[in-house]
Amino acid sequence: MRRCEGGSYMRGLIGHFKLVRLVVWIGLTLSSGLSYGFVELPLKRLDSQTYSSLQALHRSAMTLSFFTPECSWCKKQHRVLKELSIVCRGINPVMVGINGNDSGYKRALRRMSNEFPAIIAPKPLQAGLENNHVPRIIVVGADWQVVANLVGYVDKASLMVTFQQEGICA
């Protein structure tokens, strides 16, 4: 590793530790749909004003797309997911609101013309993230394992390659 000025080397190590903690946390809490863990926790749905669990939203795979109300790159990322969901039904996008409020999330989802399920990120999931940067995509495989954690805008071709490498899309 390269040593940087101003303690950024230590911040980098802390960032890596948080990423590992997130992957382990998601792996442990999502690994079994049979336990009373995070998978079955009722989460507030932004699209229908009901409650649902991740287990109810999960199919063969799940793509969690994190967004904030005022993020223009999140809107662009949503557009890419919308296009990919047409050609690749297995990606199962779920929009996850973070760092906002109900009215802001709903306004952002309306602007995106969202048709995907949408939830508010639960506090334990937010705490497990290395940072709250958006857009962020976390791809969860059929076995509830995190197969990709992508921070920042990812173009259509790169995202398709990720899905293909993980066997989510042909």
Side-chain angles (χ1 to χ4, degrees):
M1 281 187 143
R2 193 182 88 178
R3 187 183 279 298
C4 299
E5 292 182 45
S8 62
Y9 173 75
M10 186 56 101
R11 282 191 299 270
L13 285 177
I14 292 169
H16 290 301
F17 171 73
K18 285 185 174 183
L19 176 61
V20 169
R21 184 177 69 186
L22 169 69
V23 171
V24 169
W25 178 81
I26 290 176
L28 290 174
T29 57
L30 299 183
S31 64
S32 172
L34 303 174
S35 66
Y36 290 102
F38 187 77
V39 175
E40 297 169 344
L41 182 69
L43 303 171
K44 185 174 182 182
R45 297 269 309 254
L46 294 165
D47 54 328
S48 64
Q49 293 306 300
T50 60
Y51 285 84
S52 184
S53 67
L54 283 178
Q55 185 174 19
L57 299 173
H58 188 270
R59 289 180 272 199
S60 60
M62 183 167 44
T63 304
L64 301 174
S65 180
F66 290 78
F67 73 97
T68 59
E70 302 303 324
C71 172
S72 61
W73 286 103
C74 297
K75 186 175 180 179
K76 293 172 187 172
Q77 190 69 73
H78 182 271
R79 205 171 313 136
V80 167
L81 282 173
K82 193 181 253 187
E83 291 172 14
L84 286 175
S85 69
I86 293 168
V87 296
C88 183
R89 298 274 181 209
I91 65 172
N92 189 23
V94 175
M95 301 303 293
V96 183
I98 189 170
N99 292 340
N101 57 43
D102 282 8
S103 61
Y105 295 140
K106 290 174 192 171
R107 187 174 52 254
L109 292 169
R110 273 193 310 276
R111 276 193 235 131
M112 293 178 197
S113 301
N114 181 60
E115 298 173 2
F116 305 134
I119 61 170
I120 297 173
K123 296 295 181 198
L125 179 56
Q126 288 184 42
L129 297 173
E130 175 182 342
N131 54 53
N132 289 334
H133 296 163
V134 293
R136 175 188 301 266
I137 293 178
I138 297 178
V139 181
V140 180
D143 58 357
W144 289 99
Q145 296 300 309
V146 174
V147 296
N149 181 12
L150 310 168
V151 180
Y153 174 79
V154 183
D155 63 70
K156 184 178 177 180
S158 299
L159 201 50
M160 184 62 143
V161 167
T162 300
F163 292 139
Q164 289 172 336
Q165 286 175 343
E166 298 304 328
I168 296 169
C169 190

